[in-house]
Amino acid sequence: MNDSPGWATPGSSPSEDRSGQDGQGSKGSGSEGAGGTRPPAQPSDDPRWSAAQPPPGQWSNPGTDEPAPPQAPQPQQGPGWGSPGQQPGAQGGPSYGSPYGGQYGPYGHPGAPWGPPPAAKPGVIPLRPLGLGEILDGAVSTMRSHWRSVLPITLVVAVIVQVFGVLVQKYVMEDVETYPRGGSATDLSAGDVVGYIALTGATYLVQILGTILATAMLTMIFSRAILGQPSSVATAWRESRSQLPRLIGLTLLVGLALVVAVGVLIVPAFLFESVALAALTLLVLVPVVVWLGVALSLSSPALMLEKSTVAKAIARSWKLVKGSWWRIFGITLLTGIITAIITGIIYYPLSMIGVFGFGDGLDSVMDGSASYSWGFLIFGGVALIIAQTITMPIQAGVTVLLYVDQRIRREALDLDLARAAGIDTATDPHPGAAPGHGG
């Protein structure tokens, strides 16, 4: 049994050309899959993923109503096994898949529903292509079942980020923002401006580093949750720390790519000082930035789980997202909307309590000074700590599960995950529990 959650070594998709022994292996798997079934996974020394790939064109989502591919003639079954197309109670024999007669379902359980056998589910998700609900449920289930590992990480990161942000907001930004409103004749010195820029940049840097640290450790916790393995903060740190420098480099590189894209598009509008050109630039800029962001969204889990380099992680994300951009964009957007709603529900009531209960009330809101009162800053900071502690695992979990889902769909990753979870697919072809008969 593979006890490590780093089950993702960079692999190739089934469509890639192979040579030598790999080419011969592809032919062999194609012949085995002629009957429309996936061959059992076999151990292999090949470092790439998915030594046993499904035959081209025969991969389908279990549970769908799509017709199965043509199957080769099968030998006559013994008593108690009907023909594949026979329905329960039909004339000519007992129900299909049940050695006990027509009163039993396809898995040998009374009343079990008819359909494909369920997928293995050693952890928080079934090992098959995932739907939207399963991705969101997997993220929430991991946070609920592994809260002793998840919540301390996000809580510590959120506290550090918010405490630093509150101090900068109170002692730095208040002075800079008050100057134009107060109309003071005292001009800001160059040192004040430099200090303001430096501390503002430091605030964003702390937020970025905190998010990177939380993302790295949460990724390892989710990888173990998929396999049904326990996790701890110490384990997550030990398994992620070697990739942290690369993850920092990846984040900076992706951010730089987005900044360059924005700069290339927005500079002409400033040079020509044209309002029409600025509006056109904005219309082009937003889709380009969103497209790049989604195309590179899976690079972080690819880097952490495949133990790869920055360049390979970016290439892997680009390849996995290709052909599924709209689906990944929709799920990511929905996740962002959900987390924004959760944040708003927590933040606005508490911040208003700080303004009206411990601040100057409506007058401070009207003149803008409420943003720098201790009541607003403290209650707003506490609200953001609570919100980030809840939403950060959801966002990180959805990203990891999207990565896993794309690899299952394209590279039969479920076979490798089943082996890593200790499930013998050769002797236990239907390892999952039938719907309605346990999890």
Side-chain angles (χ1 to χ4, degrees):
M1 172 178 177
N2 185 4
D3 191 53
S4 172
W7 22 254
T9 319
S12 56
S13 64
S15 59
E16 288 184 345
D17 293 331
R18 300 178 181 178
S19 59
Q21 296 180 357
D22 288 342
Q24 297 174 4
S26 299
K27 295 178 183 179
S29 62
S31 61
E32 292 175 2
T37 59
R38 297 173 60 183
Q42 299 294 335
S44 174
D45 295 330
D46 192 336
R48 293 177 297 185
W49 279 79
S50 306
Q53 296 286 355
Q58 295 186 8
W59 178 264
S60 61
N61 187 346
T64 61
D65 295 327
E66 298 177 3
Q71 297 187 356
Q74 299 182 0
Q76 182 68 29
Q77 301 283 359
W81 293 86
S83 60
Q86 192 169 348
Q87 297 298 326
Q91 297 292 332
S95 61
Y96 170 65
S98 169
Y100 307 104
Q103 60 180 336
Y104 285 84
Y107 312 122
H109 297 284
W114 289 82
K121 189 179 179 182
V124 295
I125 60 169
L127 300 184
R128 57 169 171 75
L130 304 174
L132 169 62
E134 291 169 326
I135 291 176
L136 295 174
D137 179 70
V140 175
S141 297
T142 301
M143 183 174 64
R144 185 173 61 247
S145 59
H146 295 259
W147 64 270
R148 289 182 178 85
S149 304
V150 172
L151 295 186
I153 295 172
T154 55
L155 179 61
V156 170
V157 169
V159 167
I160 294 174
V161 170
Q162 292 305 318
V163 167
F164 190 85
V166 165
L167 294 178
V168 171
Q169 181 82 0
K170 178 62 179 178
Y171 293 109
V172 178
M173 294 187 178
E174 180 181 13
D175 296 336
V176 176
E177 294 293 334
T178 302
Y179 165 70
R181 293 197 305 268
S184 173
T186 305
D187 196 2
L188 292 174
S189 66
D192 292 334
V193 175
V194 172
Y196 167 75
I197 295 175
L199 285 174
T200 303
T203 302
Y204 285 110
L205 181 61
V206 169
Q207 292 178 348
I208 292 173
L209 292 178
T211 303
I212 290 174
L213 176 62
T215 299
M217 298 179 70
L218 290 174
T219 298
M220 309 317 294
I221 291 175
F222 273 93
S223 70
R224 286 184 166 270
I226 292 171
L227 301 177
Q229 298 176 354
S231 59
S232 65
V233 176
T235 302
W237 167 249
R238 184 175 62 251
E239 293 172 346
S240 63
R241 63 185 178 186
S242 62
Q243 288 294 97
L244 275 177
R246 291 180 176 178
L247 186 58
I248 294 173
L250 173 65
T251 304
L252 295 178
L253 186 60
V254 171
L256 180 62
L258 295 177
V259 169
V260 169
V262 171
V264 169
L265 292 173
I266 206 171
V267 164
F270 282 102
L271 292 179
F272 293 99
E273 298 182 354
S274 171
V275 176
L277 183 59
L280 180 62
T281 300
L282 184 63
L283 291 176
V284 176
L285 179 63
V286 173
V288 169
V289 171
V290 171
W291 178 76
L292 277 176
V294 174
L296 302 178
S297 62
L298 303 185
S299 55
S300 174
L303 178 80
M304 296 302 300
L305 296 178
E306 298 181 11
K307 306 296 183 183
S308 63
T309 62
V310 172
K312 289 182 179 179
I314 291 176
R316 289 287 289 158
S317 177
W318 198 283
K319 179 179 178 182
L320 291 172
V321 172
K322 185 178 180 181
S324 301
W325 189 95
W326 282 106
R327 180 174 181 271
I328 295 174
F329 166 74
I331 295 175
T332 304
L333 177 62
L334 179 61
T335 304
I337 294 174
I338 292 173
T339 54
I341 293 174
I342 294 173
T343 301
I345 291 174
I346 299 173
Y347 175 76
Y348 289 109
L350 284 179
S351 61
M352 289 300 100
I353 291 175
V355 170
F356 291 98
F358 300 90
D360 296 330
L362 188 59
D363 292 337
S364 63
V365 175
M366 298 302 294
D367 63 18
S369 63
S371 300
Y372 306 101
S373 65
W374 277 116
F376 174 82
L377 291 174
I378 291 176
F379 276 81
V382 170
L384 289 178
I385 289 173
I386 298 173
Q388 289 181 352
T389 302
I390 297 173
T391 59
M392 201 180 299
I394 296 176
Q395 291 176 316
V398 167
T399 302
V400 172
L401 295 179
L402 277 173
Y403 164 83
V404 172
D405 174 61
Q406 287 301 109
R407 294 206 63 180
I408 288 176
R409 292 172 182 269
R410 301 196 174 196
E411 302 173 3
L413 178 63
D414 52 328
L415 299 177
D416 299 272
L417 294 179
R419 287 198 299 269
I423 298 173
D424 188 355
T425 55
T427 59
D428 189 9
H430 308 314
H437 294 272

